[in-house]
Amino acid sequence: MKKLLIALLVLATAAFVFAKGDSQSGSGGVTRGMNRKIVMGYSQIGAESEWRTACTNSVKAAAEEYNVELIFSDAQQRQENQMQAIRSFIRQKVDIIGFTPVVETGWDAILQEIKDAGIPVICVDRQVTLAAGKRQEDYITAFIGSNMQAEATKAAQWIVNYMKTTGNTRKKDDGRTDINVAILEGTTGSGAQVGRTEGWNAEIAKYANYKTIFRQTGNFTRAEGQQVMEAWMKSPQANDIDVLLAQNDDMAIGAIDAINAAGKKPGTDIIIVSIDAVKGAFDAMLRKELNATIECNPLLGPQVMDTAVKILNKQPITWWVESEESQFDWTNAEAAYPTRQY
Ligand code: GYE
């Protein structure tokens, strides 16, 4: 009986020690840089592109690394689903909210609710536009993401330079002949579409011979990029397209299929530039079907978690630290390929 008791005691002590050790490193324990474990409610917009998947994976991996309890919700591109998720985060009294607004407008009321609940909020990747007179800095604690305008400016500059120096199989830019552009835009009203359109328009306005002959949304997906391009390739103006600008890589990759199917050579008959720099774009550049891609960094998870910890520790933060990004084309894609993480 005594021996049995001793054995049980030993077992219980071992179990206690094991559980304690486990709780420090595993599911319990504290968040890195804090004296407690924090809970983050996170509303992602969906899984429309390679970029988005990389962003989601980065947020989830960083939450594990920082030991943050992540309540992750996928809105499937619908603003009302995001509202529902955010209201449930408020009811659950999460420590902090992270979210990517699918479109820029319509967030005034819910941001007020978050503010009233005293919950800090990090806006990731896409910004919001509030009613006139309201500043997003008064409702959003920090923004983490890219400068969409700057990316589109770089895309425009790349195209102008390439059309002047190399051109397509039909023409080189002499400054007088029309350069006809087709533009595949992202989700209408999203920060990425609005910013990239503004950046492109402002830069290309400097060149009077650039003409936009097609412009339509492909909703940032491969399938819709392909469909829209298919329709353009069947139109009477199909042979006039010199340049395709796609506001993300997935749409460009879809469009490349449509151009091939129409019997034209993507990358030489039509010069194609897109934005993101995902692996699929590198594959297309190595096949010489995509000419260039401007990087947009989706690996935002570590910065999100680090900023969350600082906010909850009441340490100073910078409202927006812009992501540093490069650009890739046939001159550097092959060398960069093995180092790409997404
Ligand atoms: O470029 C696109 C994605 O908001 C920056 O959304 C993001 C964009 C990205 O679906 O691929």
Side-chain angles (χ1 to χ4, degrees):
M1 188 64 187
K2 209 176 164 192
K3 272 188 190 158
L4 187 69
L5 271 178
I6 291 171
L8 278 176
L9 200 68
V10 168
L11 265 178
T13 315
F16 175 74
V17 170
F18 182 75
K20 209 168 159 243
D22 190 36
S23 77
Q24 269 163 3
S25 57
S27 57
V30 298
T31 295
R32 184 199 286 178
M34 306 227 32
N35 56 12
R36 65 190 172 97
K37 181 160 182 166
I38 64 167
V39 179
M40 176 185 285
Y42 196 94
S43 170
Q44 178 60 289
I45 59 176
E48 73 283 1
S49 62
E50 264 189 67
W51 190 99
R52 184 69 48 204
T53 305
C55 179
T56 294
N57 291 343
S58 169
V59 168
K60 287 185 175 169
E64 277 203 17
E65 206 184 305
Y66 277 70
N67 202 18
V68 166
E69 188 180 327
L70 190 71
I71 311 176
F72 185 88
S73 165
D74 176 338
Q76 314 210 325
Q77 309 300 323
R78 298 172 67 133
Q79 188 170 29
E80 57 270 32
N81 291 347
Q82 293 203 276
M83 304 263 188
Q84 262 182 29
I86 292 172
R87 292 207 167 100
S88 106
F89 298 155
I90 297 174
R91 281 196 302 276
Q92 292 176 72
K93 297 192 168 45
V94 298
D95 294 300
I96 192 157
I97 291 172
F99 90 117
T100 295
V102 62
V103 289
E104 285 193 324
T105 54
W107 301 100
D108 296 56
I110 200 146
L111 285 172
Q112 187 64 53
E113 289 170 41
I114 301 174
K115 195 172 178 174
D116 292 345
I119 302 174
V121 51
I122 302 178
C123 193
V124 184
D125 154 35
R126 297 182 182 173
Q127 301 209 14
V128 302
T129 300
L130 299 176
K134 285 194 197 165
R135 292 175 349 125
Q136 50 172 337
E137 290 85 342
D138 293 331
Y139 295 85
I140 289 162
T141 323
F143 173 70
I144 292 169
S146 304
N147 183 330
M148 305 291 165
Q149 276 99 336
E151 289 167 351
T153 309
K154 286 190 213 166
Q157 286 167 346
W158 192 96
I159 287 169
V160 168
N161 180 49
Y162 192 82
M163 287 308 289
K164 269 189 195 142
T165 54
T166 311
N168 63 28
T169 38
R170 290 178 304 122
K171 52 172 102 131
K172 227 172 165 179
D173 182 8
D174 59 9
R176 294 183 306 278
T177 320
D178 284 353
I179 304 294
N180 299 314
V181 186
I183 302 180
L184 277 168
E185 295 194 350
T187 309
T188 307
S190 67
Q193 179 266 336
V194 173
R196 288 173 184 169
T197 302
E198 279 170 11
W200 168 269
N201 287 349
E203 184 63 22
I204 219 67
K206 297 176 186 166
Y207 307 93
N209 59 330
Y210 272 74
K211 301 275 151 57
T212 304
I213 59 167
F214 291 111
R215 177 190 284 276
Q216 199 176 315
T217 184
N219 278 313
F220 283 132
T221 70
R222 216 167 267 209
E224 281 183 70
Q226 181 171 356
Q227 273 168 26
V228 174
M229 194 74 210
E230 254 163 29
W232 291 343
M233 295 313 286
K234 285 184 187 138
S235 83
Q237 273 179 295
N239 288 330
D240 299 339
I241 306 175
D242 294 309
V243 168
L244 171 68
L245 169 76
Q247 287 183 347
N248 84 341
D249 289 339
D250 283 70
M251 292 189 294
I253 294 164
I256 285 170
D257 287 344
I259 296 169
N260 277 322
K264 288 214 174 248
K265 284 192 83 184
T268 45
D269 291 336
I270 300 177
I271 305 307
I272 310 173
V273 175
S274 52
I275 300 174
D276 278 354
V278 298
K279 282 254 169 70
F282 278 80
D283 293 331
M285 284 190 290
L286 298 188
R287 291 195 309 268
K288 300 270 192 285
E289 294 188 325
L290 175 71
N291 298 81
T293 183
I294 311 297
E295 188 179 37
C296 178
N297 184 10
L299 307 178
L300 304 172
Q303 214 186 327
V304 171
M305 298 308 151
D306 188 61
T307 306
V309 166
K310 286 202 176 108
I311 291 169
L312 294 169
N313 276 333
K314 308 227 175 323
Q315 287 166 310
I317 51 149
T318 308
W319 192 79
W320 175 18
V321 183
E322 277 181 36
S323 310
E324 277 181 32
E325 291 156 345
S326 25
Q327 58 191 55
F328 303 95
D329 56 27
W330 297 351
T331 65
N332 61 353
E334 199 169 349
Y337 192 79
T339 68
R340 301 300 294 162
Q341 288 177 59
Y342 61 93

